[in-house]
Amino acid sequence: GNIVRLVRLEEEAVDFLHQVRESYPDLPLVVSWSGGKDSTVASMLAQRAFPTERIPHVFADTTIELPSTYEFLREFRRINPATPLLVGLPARNFFELCREIGPPSRIQRWCCATHKAAPLTDLLRVVGGQRQVLAVAGLRRTESNRRAQYGKVIDDGKIGLQVLVNPVA
């Protein structure tokens, strides 16, 4: 039944992570962690694939996360005390910027750049020492039409400091 299928998918994902790591042996490994179910699965897969490593997890705190996300972050730290969890904050609070330049919209798309990409880039610079990192993420192709086109390995994404690895894509 389902358990057999899930075990097979997990084994395939772990094998995939090993293969990608062999292709990028010199890049430090991180998990891009949002506190959601998909990035938590990516975290578990990375930890199963590389059980002897303390893989840093990077979390971009947008300042507008749900209270349950912050609760889960604390729980994740409690359950995984040996896992480094680095939190990046944007330079400015979301609501301050909304008052100053208006809320993000389809025309004015500032939020992702200022509140996700910039803090993540800062964290990746710390982890990678100014060079690229191999970032395991929980991206799924079924999330949107755009993501349906994404590869399982993205070496030319929005955040140039990372080679994005998507074991659950």
Side-chain angles (χ1 to χ4, degrees):
N2 284 342
I3 194 74
V4 172
R5 172 95 172 112
L6 289 173
V7 167
R8 187 171 338 122
L9 287 171
E10 181 181 328
E11 289 171 355
E12 289 172 9
V14 167
D15 288 345
F16 168 73
L17 288 172
H18 286 143
Q19 291 168 12
V20 173
R21 190 75 184 280
E22 287 175 15
S23 298
Y24 298 90
D26 298 330
L27 299 188
L29 185 66
V30 302
V31 171
S32 185
W33 190 80
S34 68
K37 64 186 181 327
D38 300 328
S39 67
T40 300
V41 168
S43 167
M44 293 172 64
L45 291 169
Q47 291 182 62
R48 288 201 178 125
F50 310 106
T52 61
E53 294 187 45
R54 290 183 55 205
I55 305 167
H57 286 43
V58 293
F59 172 71
D61 183 347
T62 62
T63 71
I64 55 170
E65 306 295 335
L66 292 171
S68 58
T69 300
Y70 294 114
E71 289 171 29
F72 186 57
L73 184 137
R74 287 188 295 274
E75 182 72 3
F76 185 88
R77 279 188 161 143
R78 188 185 67 73
I79 293 169
N80 301 281
T83 300
L85 180 57
L86 310 173
V87 177
L89 286 165
R92 304 273 306 280
N93 176 287
F94 177 83
F95 294 108
E96 286 174 15
L97 275 177
C98 284
R99 283 189 291 277
E100 192 173 307
I101 63 174
S105 66
R106 282 181 39 151
I107 295 158
Q108 192 173 354
R109 297 176 177 236
W110 56 263
C111 183
C112 188
T114 61
H115 284 67
K116 284 237 183 238
L120 273 178
T121 299
D122 291 344
L123 290 173
L124 296 177
R125 279 194 179 109
V126 169
V127 172
Q130 301 294 334
R131 57 193 184 117
Q132 274 191 315
V133 300
L134 196 58
V136 180
L139 183 140
R140 288 182 302 115
R141 291 184 179 141
T142 56
E143 290 177 275
S144 70
N145 288 334
R146 177 178 287 169
R147 288 188 174 186
Q149 309 304 313
Y150 287 0
K152 289 187 76 160
V153 177
I154 301 170
D155 197 354
D156 60 353
K158 278 191 268 189
I159 301 175
L161 282 175
Q162 68 181 357
V163 174
L164 197 61
V165 182
N166 304 302
V168 295

